[in-house]
Amino acid sequence: MHPMEVSLFPAWAGNKQPRLAHLERNTLRLSTEGPVQSGGQKVMMFLVWQRAPLTTDGSRHPSRRKAIWNMATENALIDGALRNWHSNMDRVGRFFRSLSDDDLQKEIAPGKNRLIYIWGHLSATNDRMIPLLGFGERRYPELDLIFISQPDRAVPHNFAGEAMGDMWSQLGDLLWSEFAKLTPAEWLDRHQAVSPEDFEREPHRNRYAILLGRTTHLAYHLGQAILVKR
């Protein structure tokens, strides 16, 4: 088995990812070699292909083949997006937890936001995802006044690294647990900021789009913060 040369997840490059294959009649099943961590628990991952039935002229039925391909593609895209979000959450958490409270008071540029504000802003954005994706009520709505609606230093607060780290972990665990409950169809359903009528006209305004946007948001602000430490 050769190491991976290219991966959507840079940390996987050079690693080996063994898969078990089982072929029975018209069905091919690939699985992980053993249980993997996902959604807070260990599970076996499977990817199944089914050969499309023959038509009367001996060819494969195109609609059936397309349906199977679409299903596999949706699952792969959503799984990749979830892993990317989780990876960025881990990177953000590790970076900010490595900083002292004095470090968190540093500005990303002269006269610009401090690192503690960036971390609070990302935490507030995560908290907003809870009702946006239909997971229930927000846990920390008070964060908006400090880290969303007002610029840095406009509202005094006493958030320090330890408290922010606890909040980050709680929100991350809650979201990841709820993410794991959604089916691919539910990921492609509307989010709560769009009405059913508007969603009929704009089906791209779905939960999956929110996940992609929030992942980009995480990566953008992490890039800002890393430059400060350099």
Side-chain angles (χ1 to χ4, degrees):
M1 178 183 298
H2 297 287
M4 298 175 64
E5 296 181 2
V6 178
S7 173
L8 288 173
F9 309 102
W12 287 14
N15 294 337
K16 295 181 179 179
Q17 296 284 334
R19 297 292 183 263
L20 302 181
H22 177 74
L23 179 62
E24 183 175 352
R25 298 177 64 84
N26 291 324
T27 301
L28 171 65
R29 186 179 72 171
L30 296 182
S31 70
T32 51
E33 192 174 35
V36 298
Q37 196 72 22
S38 177
Q41 57 184 342
K42 289 189 174 182
V43 297
M44 289 289 294
M45 295 291 189
F46 297 93
L47 187 58
V48 179
W49 283 272
Q50 184 175 352
R51 189 192 302 272
L54 292 172
T55 60
T56 54
D57 63 0
S59 62
R60 297 293 170 185
H61 197 289
S63 61
R64 174 63 175 167
R65 183 167 63 245
K66 182 178 179 181
I68 295 171
W69 166 253
N70 286 344
M71 184 184 303
T73 303
E74 286 177 2
N75 287 334
L77 289 175
I78 291 169
D79 183 65
L82 286 170
R83 290 175 182 272
N84 198 20
W85 180 87
H86 196 275
S87 174
N88 276 279
M89 284 289 293
D90 282 347
R91 292 174 63 205
V92 170
R94 286 196 304 270
F95 174 81
F96 282 105
R97 286 194 183 94
S98 72
L99 304 178
S100 67
D101 285 335
D102 287 339
D103 288 333
L104 289 170
Q105 298 303 314
K106 294 179 180 178
E107 299 174 332
I108 60 174
K112 301 298 183 179
N113 296 329
R114 293 169 297 165
L115 289 172
I116 188 67
Y117 184 86
I118 296 296
W119 199 6
H121 175 78
L122 291 175
S123 296
T125 302
N126 282 343
D127 194 52
R128 284 182 159 197
M129 288 177 69
I130 298 172
L132 183 60
L133 297 181
F135 298 154
E137 299 295 325
R138 295 185 60 177
R139 299 303 188 267
Y140 304 100
E142 67 276 10
L143 294 178
D144 278 14
L145 179 62
I146 305 171
F147 299 113
I148 296 286
S149 60
Q150 298 291 332
D152 191 14
R153 298 183 178 87
V155 180
H157 67 85
N158 58 356
F159 281 107
E162 183 176 359
M164 196 66 75
D166 290 342
M167 189 183 309
W168 185 259
S169 295
Q170 291 170 16
L171 290 171
D173 290 345
L174 184 154
L175 287 170
W176 188 247
S177 175
E178 294 295 332
F179 289 168
K181 299 175 185 178
L182 296 180
T183 64
E186 288 171 329
W187 273 111
L188 297 177
D189 199 359
R190 69 182 181 92
H191 56 72
Q192 298 304 301
V194 59
S195 68
E197 294 76 20
D198 287 342
F199 186 65
E200 285 290 330
R201 296 188 295 270
E202 302 175 290
H204 60 278
R205 298 173 68 182
N206 50 45
R207 288 187 175 109
Y208 182 66
I210 294 296
L211 177 66
L212 296 179
R214 294 302 183 268
T215 302
T216 301
H217 186 240
L218 285 168
Y220 170 77
H221 284 299
L222 177 61
Q224 286 184 316
I226 289 175
L227 291 177
V228 177
K229 198 169 184 180
R230 292 181 179 178

